[in-house]
Amino acid sequence: MDSNNPKIAVIGAGVIGMTVGAMLQQELRNTNITVIAEGFKEDTVSCVAAGIFRPGTSFKGPTKEVTKKWINESWYYWQDILKTPEAPLAGIMPVSSYIFSKENYFITRNHLIEDLVPIYRPVEKDELKLCGEGWKYGSYFSTIKIGCDRYLPWVEKSFIEKGGKIENGRIDSFASLRSKYDLVFNCTGLGAKVLCNDHDLVSVRGQIAKAKAPWLKMAFYGDYDTYIIPGIDGVATLGGVRQYDSYNKEVCKYDAAAILERCYDFIPSLRKAEIVAHRVGLRPHRMPVRVEPEVVDGVKVVHCYGHGGYGVMCAPGTARDAIKMGVDILRSNARSKI
Ligand SMILES: Cc1cc2nc3c(=O)[nH]c(=O)nc-3n(C[C@H](O)[C@H](O)[C@H](O)COP(=O)(O)OP(=O)(O)OC[C@H]3O[C@@H](n4cnc5c(N)ncnc54)[C@H](O)[C@@H]3O)c2cc1C
Ligand SMILES: *[C@@H]1O[C@H](CO)[C@@H](O)[C@H](O)[C@H]1NC(C)=O
Ligand SMILES: *[C@@H]1O[C@H](CO)[C@@H](O)[C@H](O)[C@H]1NC(C)=O
Ligand SMILES: *[C@@H]1O[C@H](CO)[C@@H](O)[C@H](O)[C@H]1NC(C)=O
């Protein structure tokens, strides 16, 4: 192996793998990087996500400081794209949101982004009557949304234009990669559980409906995982469910009915919207998210998986840490050869 021209593979082409691939190209120019995956674009969990920048308050890295750093760096990474004409092509747009509750004011707050996003404030009394009934508490905030239906094709195109390679295939063991790559990034999402024995990784099943509602310009969150998030092309995401340790990838008609009923009660105009799809995604949940190096079967690996319900928003921050670890490994490889 040539340490001046290391060969690098990224396993996984969801939002994590593709973002790692793209950021690696910026960090290590003149390097061959190959993304290997079983599923691409619409066949990933990433493509089911609404992709809103709003972490659950339980989202967690190894320490509080690292969690904050991931979120902060991700925010500025997306903001940089948002300032360019590429933003709509990459599926990135600003979105304002209400979050209401009948139970508790604190669940409408979010300590992870309150001091990061431009606006995060308690609602006025009148705003509680904007939609739905009986809301007692609420917050209003401004944030962004990254739609992977556009982001993944956009980032893949740019990756290939810069010399990146894409391979379709399933990796069943690391040993098969040993002779070919100096460094491997493991961005397999829930695939990591099936492949290996990471019992800390569990599926949190999600199901959503896609509704043609171009008049909807804001996001709304209510109690019991009810949310309505507008899309760049007029198709809104209606959710949802959060089923712990459930691996059913089929659309469940009872979940679909419950989601629609909750969303229709919340925003009655949605009854007029055409439902164009129902989708299921298994969130790769792990506490904490795993971003760390390991030598597996003689292969130098940096893991980056387990982002749960927040992998789209937090992809750049975690990717940056993973890449830093990878670059350190390559440098020490180079040193050991002198
Ligand atoms: C309903 C729902 C709503 C969501 N909403 C949001 C949201 O608003 N905001 C947000 O930030 N996040 C949201 N998420 C979470 C987000 O979708 C995930 O955190 C994110 O997609 C994880 O990305 P990933 O790249 O790790 O996984 P994936 O997108 O699953 O990608 C994994 C990749 O690895 C490949 N792979 C796996 N195993 C192997 C193998 N053995 N060999 C080869 N390839 C392999 C797969 O084919 C795929 O390409 C939501 C999720 C769901 C289900
Ligand atoms: C990539 O690899 C090929 C051979 O596999 C080599 O010819 C080429 O120079 C490499 N490109 C870069 C940028 O390292
Ligand atoms: C957040 O990230 C930006 C851009 O990377 C950086 O300039 C800033 O110092 C960071 N702020 C905090 C609080 O970490
Ligand atoms: C990903 O990480 C898991 C957990 O350590 C490991 O068992 C698995 O082999 C890795 N998969 C790939 C394709 O790198």
Side-chain angles (χ1 to χ4, degrees), residues 7-28 30-37 40-41 77 86 151-168 181 185 323:
K7 299 224 167 2
I8 303 177
V10 177
I11 317 300
V15 68
I16 303 301
M18 287 314 304
T19 304
V20 166
M23 291 174 69
L24 257 175
Q25 281 181 325
Q26 293 173 351
E27 185 76 28
L28 302 173
N30 302 319
T31 305
N32 272 324
I33 303 164
T34 308
V35 170
I36 308 171
F40 290 86
K41 294 181 266 204
Y77 184 87
E86 291 289 299
Y151 174 70
L152 289 180
W154 176 82
V155 72
E156 185 180 303
K157 182 165 170 274
S158 135
F159 177 75
I160 292 169
E161 279 167 7
K162 289 181 184 143
K165 297 198 174 66
I166 300 277
E167 268 177 35
N168 189 322
Y181 298 102
F185 288 87
I323 288 168

Side-chain angles (χ1 to χ4, degrees), residues 68-69 72-73 76-77 116 320:
K68 274 263 184 185
K69 187 185 75 175
N72 178 60
E73 286 185 352
Y76 287 102
Y77 184 87
L116 184 63
R320 185 156 294 160

Side-chain angles (χ1 to χ4, degrees), residues 38-150:
E38 217 183 346
F40 290 86
K41 294 181 266 204
E42 60 274 15
D43 294 330
T44 63
V45 175
S46 301
C47 232
V48 178
I52 199 157
F53 197 103
R54 178 182 174 272
T57 50
S58 65
F59 179 71
K60 190 164 140 166
T63 65
K64 274 186 198 154
E65 291 69 31
V66 171
T67 311
K68 274 263 184 185
K69 187 185 75 175
W70 285 347
I71 294 171
N72 178 60
E73 286 185 352
S74 297
W75 173 261
Y76 287 102
Y77 184 87
W78 299 124
Q79 290 297 317
D80 283 347
I81 303 177
L82 202 55
K83 284 179 203 140
T84 73
E86 291 289 299
L89 305 173
I92 304 171
M93 67 182 214
V95 56
S96 303
S97 181
Y98 279 111
I99 173 164
F100 295 123
S101 175
K102 293 174 185 172
E103 315 281 345
N104 187 319
Y105 170 58
F106 288 97
I107 61 179
T108 77
R109 303 269 311 256
N110 193 303
H111 70 287
L112 292 172
I113 57 165
E114 277 179 9
D115 52 3
L116 184 63
V117 298
I119 305 173
Y120 207 112
R121 62 163 175 83
V123 298
E124 310 281 339
K125 265 217 168 77
D126 288 351
E127 293 175 288
L128 291 172
K129 297 183 195 124
L130 276 175
C131 57
E133 269 164 39
W135 300 121
K136 290 202 182 110
Y137 313 96
S139 293
Y140 172 93
F141 60 99
S142 56
T143 186
I144 56 168
K145 176 193 138 102
I146 306 100
C148 278
D149 48 343
R150 289 201 189 180

